[in-house]
């Protein structure tokens, strides 16, 4: 993994502009030690599985959770007659453990997710070239029916949720969700990932500059909850 230390907000903008294109996608993470694995592949879920059948056990768990989500969400949103991919997208955005890993096409949004709630940590924005992945998911029935050669695919969801629109969201979908993306082979080579490290001592200024560009919680999370959180944050002197 290629690691680059960012020295300021302007340095971040300049590095992104010089080194990446619209073919790149970005993921912000508020701790340097976090791995590029989907939620279902993390420790609390893996710990419940048998060592010899982790991937199969996680799939069973994921399917059971999704079936319950579809059944119990009807009073709020009827998911029964939409595609499996849309069901998983909505579940992901509401916090279900899935094999989807969130990315964004907007580097400023990734920087927001990296610097939000950093808790004194250095943080990072990860960058990958999306052309590494197969993105032909239109003919794939569901997330468990990927082609044998596709360990990871790119999925660009329909604009079925305001957060997807605001966050310019896309997903990588992982056949084995326990393997970090940078340790996953794509066409017999490990996936190429850059790690842009944002040191803790510049995060406050970074957040202020992001807000100046209109990237704050009220933008990221459309609706009254996001707006109220942002205004409360400002009132406490956060920006």
């Amino acid at each position: 993994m290629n690691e680059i230390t960012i020295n300021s907000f302007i340095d971040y903008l300049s590095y992104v502009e010089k080194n990446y294109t619209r073919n790149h996608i970005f993921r912000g993470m508020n701790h340097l030690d976090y791995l590029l694995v989907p939620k279902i592949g993390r420790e609390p879920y893996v710990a419940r599985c048998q060592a010899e059948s982790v991937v199969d056990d996680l799939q069973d768990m994921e399917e059971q959770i999704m079936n319950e989500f579809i059944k119990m969400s009807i009073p709020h949103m009827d998911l029964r007659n939409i595609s499996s991919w849309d069901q998983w997208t909505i579940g992901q955005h509401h916090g279900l453990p899935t094999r989807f890993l969130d990315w964004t096409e907007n580097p400023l949004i990734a920087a927001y997710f990296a610097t939000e709630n950093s808790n004194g940590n250095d943080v990072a924005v990860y960058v990958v070239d999306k052309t590494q992945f197969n993105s032909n998911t239109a003919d794939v029935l569901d997330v468990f029916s990927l082609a044998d050669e596709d360990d990871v695919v790119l999925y660009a969801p329909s604009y079925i949720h305001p957060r997807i629109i605001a966050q310019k969201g896309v997903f990588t979908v992982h056949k084995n969700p326990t393997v970090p993306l940078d340790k996953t082979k794509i066409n017999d080579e490990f996936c190429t990932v850059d790690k842009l490290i944002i040191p803790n001592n510049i995060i406050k200024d970074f957040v202020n500059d992001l807000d100046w560009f209109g990237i704050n919680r009220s933008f990221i999370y459309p609706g009254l909850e996001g707006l109220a959180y942002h205004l409360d944050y400002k009132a406490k002197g956060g920006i």
Side-chain angles (χ1 to χ4, degrees):
M1 185 183 295
N2 186 28
E3 295 189 357
I4 303 95
T5 299
I6 299 299
N7 298 309
S8 67
F9 181 72
I10 296 300
D11 185 33
Y12 178 76
L13 292 179
S14 177
Y15 191 88
V16 168
E17 193 274 332
K18 290 178 181 177
N19 292 278
Y20 305 121
T21 70
R22 292 181 183 271
N23 284 331
H24 288 86
I25 53 177
F26 306 82
R27 176 175 172 82
M29 300 178 72
N30 62 7
H31 198 294
L32 295 185
D33 293 336
Y34 292 161
L35 301 176
L36 289 172
V37 295
K39 188 174 181 178
I40 194 69
R42 298 171 193 168
E43 183 58 32
Y45 312 100
V46 173
R48 298 185 58 208
C49 301
Q50 299 295 320
E52 65 276 7
S53 59
V54 171
V55 175
D56 290 338
D57 290 351
L58 289 175
Q59 178 173 329
D60 291 342
M61 185 189 306
E62 191 177 353
E63 287 186 288
Q64 181 178 354
I65 291 169
M66 180 56 67
N67 288 336
E68 289 293 304
F69 182 68
I70 293 168
K71 181 174 67 175
M72 299 177 71
S73 65
I74 291 172
H76 313 285
M77 179 184 294
D78 192 343
L79 305 178
R80 291 174 295 180
N81 296 316
I82 65 175
S83 75
S84 172
W85 290 92
D86 286 345
Q87 290 169 348
W88 250 261
T89 298
I90 293 170
Q92 170 75 10
H93 270 281
H94 286 280
L96 288 188
T98 76
R99 63 190 57 231
F100 284 29
L101 190 63
D102 290 280
W103 297 81
T104 175
E105 296 173 319
N106 187 329
L108 295 180
I109 290 172
Y112 173 84
F113 281 118
T115 55
E116 180 190 40
N117 301 322
S118 62
N119 296 319
N121 301 313
D122 294 348
V123 301
V125 172
Y126 294 86
V127 190
V128 297
D129 185 340
K130 64 184 181 183
T131 63
Q132 295 178 86
F133 312 115
N134 179 13
S135 60
N136 185 22
T137 58
D139 297 327
V140 180
L141 181 62
D142 60 47
V143 299
F144 303 119
S145 302
L146 302 180
D148 291 341
E149 66 272 14
D150 287 333
D151 291 318
V152 178
V153 299
L154 182 75
Y155 174 55
S158 304
Y159 280 175
I160 55 176
H161 194 288
R163 289 186 184 179
I164 297 173
I165 300 171
Q167 297 171 16
K168 298 289 287 182
V170 295
F171 305 106
T172 47
V173 184
H174 299 240
K175 187 172 292 184
N176 183 344
T178 68
V179 179
L181 182 63
D182 53 301
K183 304 298 183 183
T184 300
K185 287 194 173 182
I186 310 294
N187 297 322
D188 296 324
E189 295 185 0
F190 286 114
C191 182
T192 301
V193 181
D194 285 355
K195 183 177 185 179
L196 309 185
I197 298 172
I198 303 173
N200 177 62
N201 66 319
I202 69 169
I203 286 178
K204 183 176 181 180
D205 289 339
F206 216 98
V207 171
N208 287 335
D209 288 333
L210 283 169
D211 181 65
W212 185 31
F213 277 72
I215 307 298
N216 51 51
R217 195 174 181 91
S218 67
F219 177 84
I220 296 291
Y221 299 102
L224 293 179
E225 182 181 354
L227 175 60
Y229 180 99
H230 172 62
L231 294 176
D232 179 58
Y233 183 71
K234 289 183 66 174
K236 291 186 290 190
I239 295 176

